[in-house]
Amino acid sequence: MSEKEIKNLEAIFEAKIARDEKIEPKDWMPEKYRKTHIRQMSQHAHSEIVGMLPEGNWITRAPSLRRKVALLAKVQDEAGHGLYLYSATETLGISREELYEQLHSGKAKYSSIFNYPTITWADIGAIGWLVDGAAIINQVPLCSTSFGPYARAMVRVCKEESFHQRQGYEIMLTLANGTPEQKEMAQDALNRWWWPSLMMFGPTDDMSTHTEQSMKWKLKRKTNDELRQQFIDQTVPQANILGLSIPDSDLKWNEERGHYDFGPINWDEFWQVVKGHGPCNKERLQTRVDAWEEGEWVRDAAMAYAEKKAERKVKQAG
Ligand code: FAQ
């Protein structure tokens, strides 16, 4: 393709972004746009399926049938989110096998939050309330992201996340209004999940490597810091209703800014977790690798069946 033709295609692409039109898989797009989307969307897909593990840990120990049914449905939804997102990523010309290989080899990232352990039942409440709460705030703007398949997948994901957030908050509300021991359990879960939830939004804007370009492409509609602040402003009143205290002595309403001020985030801990040294990184990755290896016979059987069926069709036709 000549330089002039490429410039032409770039101009068409930029004009579409400016008009807020969706970029579809068969449209021409800059290679960097394609790669950035594969990176973010596949990290997102991996996060959904690794994210099933901390909660899956409590399905057999949910305190009642009602809680078990809700938790099962939530964890299944997360598998579904992973599938929509892997499918949407495949439209950019990368195979599912390559994506899994990147996860299993440790090359691909997934959200830092899923490398923390779920020690008590209250952690299931805290994940729904805080982790899904943070996910919604991050993902609602993604419903209007510029790449069509990602934007459309996000619409359904956000609807389901909203049910997840409510089931988590309701667990917290029940515990907070229960016995002193139950309330203590809820407070302990909030203490452990608060800071990692703030880290989910990614590094501060001045440290973020991708935000500037991703905002120009309308992949990201808000910066990491804007979303983090929105989450804090929205969550503090919810903690007040629960009668629980957020573990941050610097947390204070700032009349002038119209936002809560908050204390320093431990970015050293964040990068340690991202680099594979969090409390559960090894366990999470090993569980995914084991599931892949143990499922090999299912994939082989499905392929053998498909081949046999195709052979039979050819024979019948001939
Ligand atoms: N963990 O330049 P930025 C969920 C990396 S789904 C690990 O700011 P970007 C549902 C980042 O990849 C949760 N790594 O990057 C659920 C980059 O490294 P790279 C997942 C992180 O992409 C609930 C480097 O740091 N959600 O919770 C993290 O512009 C309950 C520099 O960062 C999504 O994936 C992190 N937290 O912004 C499931 C949403 N943050 O790639 C089960 C879509 C940053 O250059 C139970 N993703 N890094 O090697 C996004 O919105 C963005 O990708 C951000 C990061 C905001 C996460």
Side-chain angles (χ1 to χ4, degrees), residues 68-96:
K68 193 194 286 268
V69 169
L71 183 58
L72 258 176
K74 177 184 193 298
V75 173
Q76 281 180 353
D77 283 351
E78 279 145 13
H81 299 173
L83 291 180
Y84 315 146
L85 285 163
Y86 281 125
S87 299
T89 313
E90 282 175 298
T91 68
L92 289 160
I94 186 162
S95 71
R96 187 81 58 104

Side-chain angles (χ1 to χ4, degrees), residues 42-86:
S42 63
Q43 284 176 4
H44 195 166
H46 300 325
S47 303
E48 296 283 355
I49 62 161
V50 176
M52 295 166 73
L53 302 174
E55 289 171 294
N57 184 34
W58 278 90
I59 291 173
T60 53
R61 291 176 287 157
S64 69
L65 184 60
R66 177 173 169 262
R67 294 291 186 206
K68 193 194 286 268
V69 169
L71 183 58
L72 258 176
K74 177 184 193 298
V75 173
Q76 281 180 353
D77 283 351
E78 279 145 13
H81 299 173
L83 291 180
Y84 315 146
L85 285 163
Y86 281 125

Side-chain angles (χ1 to χ4, degrees), residues 146-164:
S146 61
F147 185 54
Y150 195 22
R152 290 188 288 273
M154 279 302 111
V155 173
R156 176 158 175 186
V157 169
C158 283
K159 285 190 179 146
E160 291 174 350
E161 298 291 23
S162 145
F163 152 71
H164 297 170

Side-chain angles (χ1 to χ4, degrees), residues 39-40 43-45 47-48 51-52 55 74 78 81 109-114 127 131-132 135 138-139 142 150 161 164 199-203 207-211 214 220 224 227 270-271 274:
R39 179 189 63 79
Q40 177 166 324
Q43 284 176 4
H44 195 166
S47 303
E48 296 283 355
M52 295 166 73
E55 289 171 294
K74 177 184 193 298
E78 279 145 13
H81 299 173
K109 291 192 170 72
Y110 59 84
S111 183
S112 49
I113 192 78
F114 302 118
I127 290 180
V131 177
D132 285 278
N138 169 269
Q139 289 169 19
L142 291 174
Y150 195 22
E161 298 291 23
H164 297 170
M199 293 174 197
M200 272 179 82
F201 294 95
M207 298 292 286
S208 164
T209 38
H210 304 293
T211 297
S214 292
K220 277 171 125 169
N224 300 356
L227 293 169
F270 171 75
W271 290 116
V274 171

Side-chain angles (χ1 to χ4, degrees), residues 240-259:
N240 292 340
I241 293 171
L242 293 174
L244 299 178
S245 39
I246 289 181
D248 178 357
S249 53
D250 293 326
L251 192 71
K252 203 164 161 259
W253 179 252
N254 183 325
E255 199 61 55
E256 215 171 287
R257 289 200 314 123
H259 292 294

